């Protein structure tokens, strides 16, 4: 299997939940599983779940945070969480289509 | 069913936010570490078998019933299962169930002694995505391994490893239960595993199943636990542990991973007859939550059984909560305490602060440790039977055995 290279996270670009990733709702947020690299990760708040699932509907990660109503003071920690998810290939860059 | 845990004040509410480990104490909607033992049948008779396996149980799930369980796991989004036994590959429908699970988004990690992994099967596995194979080996040399697992079992495992490596299989594992007899072989295990391009996985010996009969003799000494802890700190990155050594965190720095007992919270077992237990190391009626054949199936058992509800609370009382290391060690392993007759809210029998030894010594002389009534051990002699049983106790190690060259020609 040729694993795609994890993209460097740029919040100004369009992202989406990776296609080989499944999301399982849990009382605290969600569990995310990557069927390709078999990594398991956790989304520790319902807000973060909303952000990850709606990434695909917005022109950029930054725009997604605004649309989901993430308070300004928390945006940097959400961007950090998204960068971690990009590193573990749970989210991927969306090519313009 | 009566509560198996010390009764607690009314259940506290799940916190919002905070650390994951605190969330896990309250359980999840579906397990993340589900073990499924497909059969109690096994060609071997390992002295420490956690499930007292040997003979097939006539009530084992049929192919259709096993498929129905997989369908349910897919619906619950259980993304992978740890398949074991007994020896799972001796089930004639094993390869079919493997394909069926993978075809239904349920990845499979299976543990085997290697008996069926010939070149053809190894090539088949190498072609299959979403399957992980673990070959069990409890000694880095035939001498140490075969004493516990039986004559010829080392050779079988090595042949399976050779076949997997030759077939180009990636990421397969060598799975070791750390005992008093192999604790000094960790570097040798690592070298052996590396030589096959495999990954080493080491886990803790618990006094479960036949393990209860040999635990006194085989569980690592305190000095070995200390060495193991240091070894894990130094080599942890390249070695899997299933987070099973979290009680060692009480030596100081916490080991990486989830340091809590996940029984009934994030962990459970489906046994070959469909019974659901809180943990694969807790096959005992006190930890039996239901059966997948019951109405509502596995999901109902996982989400609504009284036993699991009872386990899904943080521990608030007991001697351990007063210990300075409680946050790292959480009182250790529930199964290890239970099968050694210790209270579940007290220290682990292998508590690295020494409280376990004290508690073991203070047990009532009349105490009969709990035994599981579920035993599928072979009743007659088995070919290559382990020599550990029925042998005089291991003589105390000689000082000269500590020499790294001991046993080598010319040393
Ligand atoms: S009972 Fe022991 S083996 Fe089972 S989940 Fe708890 S700590 Fe792990
Ligand atoms: S007393 Fe309990 S919490 Fe403390 S180290 Fe021992 S087992 Fe762990």
């Amino acid at each position: 299997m040729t694993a795609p290279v994890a993209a460097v996270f740029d919040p100004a670009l369009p992202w989406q939940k990776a296609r080989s990733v499944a999301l399982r709702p849990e009382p605290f947020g969600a569990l995310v599983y990557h069927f390709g690299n078999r990594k398991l990760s956790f989304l520790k708040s319902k807000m973060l779940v909303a952000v990850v699932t709606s990434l695909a509907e917005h022109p950029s990660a930054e725009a997604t945070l605004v649309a989901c109503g993430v308070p300004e003071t928390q945006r940097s920690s959400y961007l950090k969480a998204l960068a971690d998810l990009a590193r573990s290939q749970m989210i991927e860059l969306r090519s313009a289509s | 069913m009566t509560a198996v845990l010390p009764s607690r004040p009314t259940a506290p509410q799940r916190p919002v936010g905070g650390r994951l480990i605190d969330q896990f104490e309250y359980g999840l909607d579906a397990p993340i570490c589900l073990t499924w033992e497909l059969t109690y049948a096994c060609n071997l008779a390992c002295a420490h078998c956690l499930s007292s396996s040997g003979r097939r149980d006539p009530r084992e799930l049929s192919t259709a019933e096993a498929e129905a369980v997989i369908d349910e796991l897919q619906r619950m989004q259980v993304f992978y299962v740890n398949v074991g036994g007994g020896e799972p590959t001796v089930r004639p429908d094993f390869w079919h169930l493997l394909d069926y699970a993978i075809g239904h988004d349920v990845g499979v990690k299976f543990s085997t002694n290697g008996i069926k992994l010939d070149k053809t099967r190894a090539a088949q596995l190498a072609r299959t995505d979403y399957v992980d194979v673990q070959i069990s080996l409890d000694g880095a040399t035939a001498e140490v391994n075969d004493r516990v697992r039986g004559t010829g079992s080392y050779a079988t495992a090595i042949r399976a490893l050779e076949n997997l490596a030759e077939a180009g299989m990636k990421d397969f594992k060598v799975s070791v239960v750390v005992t008093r007899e192999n604790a000094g072989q960790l570097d040798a295990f690592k070298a052996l595993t590396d030589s096959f391009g495999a990954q080493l996985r080491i886990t803790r010996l618990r006094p479960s199943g036949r393990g209860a009969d040999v635990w006194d003799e085989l569980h690592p000494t305190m000095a070995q636990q200390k060495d193991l802890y240091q070894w894990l700190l130094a080599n942890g990155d390249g070695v899997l542990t299933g987070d099973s050594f979290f009680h060692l965190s009480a030596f100081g720095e916490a080991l990486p991973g989830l340091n809590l007992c996940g029984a009934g919270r994030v962990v459970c077992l489906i046994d070959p007859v469909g019974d659901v237990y809180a943990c694969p190391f807790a096959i005992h009626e006190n930890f039996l939550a239901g059966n997948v054949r019951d109405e509502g199936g596995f999901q109902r058992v996982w989400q609504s059984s009284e036993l699991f509800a009872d386990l899904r609370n943080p521990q608030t009382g007991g001697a351990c909560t007063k210990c300075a290391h409680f946050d790292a060690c959480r009182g250790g392993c529930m199964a290890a305490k239970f099968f050694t007759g210790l209270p579940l809210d007290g220290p682990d029998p292998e508590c690295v602060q020494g409280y376990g030894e004290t508690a073991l010594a203070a047990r009532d002389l009349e105490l009969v440790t709990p035994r599981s009534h579920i035993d599928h051990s072979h009743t007659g002699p088995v070919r290559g039977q382990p020599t550990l049983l029925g042998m005089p106790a291991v003589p105390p190690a000689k000082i000269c055995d500590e020499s790294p060259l001991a046993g080598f020609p010319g040393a």
Side-chain angles (χ1 to χ4, degrees), chain B residues 44-48 112-114 135-159 161 174-183 185 189 192 218 384-389:
Chain B
L44 297 182
C46 301
H48 60 328
T112 173
N113 57 43
I135 309 289
S136 304
L137 198 68
D138 295 328
T141 52
E143 193 196 355
V144 172
N145 179 80
D146 290 5
R147 234 170 85 73
V148 176
R149 302 186 58 83
T151 309
S153 60
Y154 182 85
T156 302
I158 296 293
R159 198 173 318 115
L161 291 168
V174 173
S175 188
V176 175
V177 175
V178 179
T179 66
R180 196 170 302 176
E181 302 189 353
N182 70 21
Q185 296 188 312
F189 276 119
L192 181 144
L218 281 188
Q385 189 156 288
T387 51
L388 179 78
L389 295 170

Side-chain angles (χ1 to χ4, degrees), chain A residues 44-57:
Chain A
K44 290 199 270 181
S45 75
K46 300 220 158 146
M47 179 84 91
L48 184 56
V49 178
V51 168
V52 169
T53 45
S54 60
L55 277 172
E57 297 155 25

Side-chain angles (χ1 to χ4, degrees), chain B residues 20-368:
Chain B
L20 266 178
I21 184 170
D22 298 324
Q23 291 292 336
F24 284 2
E25 286 190 326
Y26 290 86
L28 297 179
D29 286 355
I32 44 180
C33 187
L34 170 65
T35 298
W36 185 4
E37 296 183 343
L38 286 180
T39 179
Y40 278 119
C42 187
N43 52 307
L44 297 182
C46 301
H48 60 328
C49 179
L50 79 162
S51 53
S52 297
S53 286
R55 291 167 295 130
R56 181 180 173 276
D57 191 307
R59 298 166 301 152
E60 288 179 5
L61 298 181
S62 67
T63 305
E65 286 173 313
E67 287 172 356
V69 170
I70 294 167
D71 293 342
E72 206 181 353
L73 298 180
Q74 181 183 27
R75 280 197 301 279
M76 290 175 75
Q77 290 188 284
V78 174
F79 300 119
Y80 57 84
V81 290
N82 307 299
V83 165
E87 171 51 48
T89 62
V90 304
R91 250 188 91 123
D93 59 359
F94 173 78
W95 304 97
H96 163 75
L97 291 175
L98 179 70
D99 287 339
Y100 190 89
I102 292 164
H104 288 77
D105 293 339
V106 179
V108 172
K109 303 185 182 180
F110 73 93
S111 297
T112 173
N113 57 43
I115 185 74
K116 299 282 182 184
L117 295 192
D118 56 17
K119 287 189 197 304
T120 315
R121 289 301 183 193
Q124 174 187 348
L125 288 169
R127 284 194 306 269
T128 316
D129 274 342
Y130 311 131
V131 61
D132 254 330
V133 188
Q134 289 178 181
I135 309 289
S136 304
L137 198 68
D138 295 328
T141 52
E143 193 196 355
V144 172
N145 179 80
D146 290 5
R147 234 170 85 73
V148 176
R149 302 186 58 83
T151 309
S153 60
Y154 182 85
T156 302
I158 296 293
R159 198 173 318 115
L161 291 168
E162 283 167 358
N163 290 341
L164 289 168
E166 195 185 298
M169 179 83 186
K170 294 272 173 293
D171 293 331
F172 57 103
K173 276 103 188 144
V174 173
S175 188
V176 175
V177 175
V178 179
T179 66
R180 196 170 302 176
E181 302 189 353
N182 70 21
Q185 296 188 312
L186 294 176
D187 288 326
F189 276 119
K190 185 82 175 71
L192 181 144
T193 306
D194 287 347
S195 75
F196 290 107
Q199 205 178 3
L200 178 60
R201 177 174 188 270
I202 62 175
T203 54
R204 184 175 172 194
L205 173 74
R206 282 90 166 190
S208 312
R210 288 196 294 272
D213 303 330
V214 293
W215 187 81
D216 283 338
E217 193 177 333
L218 281 188
H219 81 89
T221 63
M222 188 63 94
Q224 287 177 327
Q225 291 210 91
K226 183 124 211 178
D227 290 345
L228 171 61
Y229 172 71
Q230 294 300 341
W231 193 87
L232 283 171
L233 287 181
N235 298 277
D237 285 350
V239 176
L240 303 167
T241 63
D243 298 345
S244 66
F245 293 110
F246 64 88
H247 71 296
L248 299 179
S249 291
F251 272 129
E253 190 186 330
L255 293 169
L258 263 185
N259 296 329
L260 95 159
C261 170
R265 294 162 162 169
V266 299
V267 171
C268 79
L269 166 74
I270 302 178
D271 93 336
V273 302
D275 279 339
V276 181
Y277 293 93
C279 162
F281 294 92
I283 302 183
H284 185 280
E285 55 190 359
N286 283 26
F287 302 105
L288 175 61
N291 189 289
V292 300
R293 285 170 171 144
D294 298 344
E295 203 188 326
F298 173 71
Q299 178 159 14
R300 169 99 167 261
V301 178
W302 177 263
Q303 294 180 350
S304 325
S305 85
E306 257 178 66
L307 171 72
F308 286 178
D310 203 22
L311 290 167
R312 289 171 193 169
N313 283 303
Q315 179 180 336
T316 50
C320 283
T321 53
K322 297 183 200 79
C323 169
H325 302 282
F326 182 64
D327 197 51
C329 154
R330 307 259 164 165
C333 170
M334 178 183 78
K337 294 188 251 203
F338 181 76
F339 288 114
T340 51
L342 296 183
L344 299 187
D345 61 355
D348 187 289
E350 294 181 287
C351 163
V352 301
Q353 298 295 316
Y355 298 116
E357 279 169 19
T358 316
L360 288 175
R363 284 178 304 185
D364 191 336
L365 282 179
E366 314 278 275
L367 177 93
V368 184

